[in-house]
Amino acid sequence: MPPPEAPPPPPDAPPARPLRVEGTPDPAPSRALWLVKWLLLIPHYIVLLLLWIGVVVVSVIAFFAILFTGRYPRALFDFTVGVLRWNWRVSYYGYGMLATDRYPPFTLGEAPDYPARLTVAYPERLSRGLVLVKWWLLAIPHYLILAAFSGAGMYSASGSGGWRTPGLIGASVLIVAIALLFTARYPRGLFNLLMGLNRWSLRVSVYALLLSDVYPPFRLDQGPLETERPL
């Protein structure tokens, strides 16, 4: 006899996987476009700087809204998710992945036909007490791991000067850039690894930005698509 089906979660239960991060690699990437992507992305960097200032303001408002009502105002939630989505597309095109030559669109909304996609399920209820500690105290272990991913704080002194290591993401992207330049091919293993690293980082961002109460797993989920493996 087949095993009985698990009962459905209660209607107000948080989704098991609030964030979905996916990316489709280009079949024939350019050898040298990455050399000028920094220049092409300047308009995006300027807009994102302003948008992230807005996210800081929105997060403060959302903090008090959750504290007193247990809800993240939907319009503010959509704005923050839109900024994360925009940032992910720019990172995917630029020096967080170098995984596509398609220029990212200037929009907070979804772009289903773009190779990089991000969605966050809206939570009907959030913990009023958890909001006090999750964005700093509970997230500290993840912040330490993400520092290694990005190279932040990894500084080595040498005489009167010093040097900062690029971190795992930076080193992997550098290898990808060299591979593209000489082979016009994106190493699939590095693509999967970078997807996993960026997915981990974005899960922590969603948690720290108060968008979800689901604690990020200490797990590197590699590959272009989200798996059905539960968090």
Side-chain angles (χ1 to χ4, degrees), residues 48-65:
L48 280 173
L49 175 61
L50 299 175
L51 289 175
W52 278 107
I53 294 174
V55 167
V56 173
V57 176
V58 163
S59 296
V60 173
I61 298 172
F63 173 88
F64 289 103

Side-chain angles (χ1 to χ4, degrees), residues 180-195:
L180 288 174
L181 186 62
F182 290 101
T183 70
R185 298 188 64 180
Y186 198 118
R188 189 54 182 260
L190 284 177
F191 175 85
N192 291 335
L193 174 63
L194 283 167
M195 281 297 301

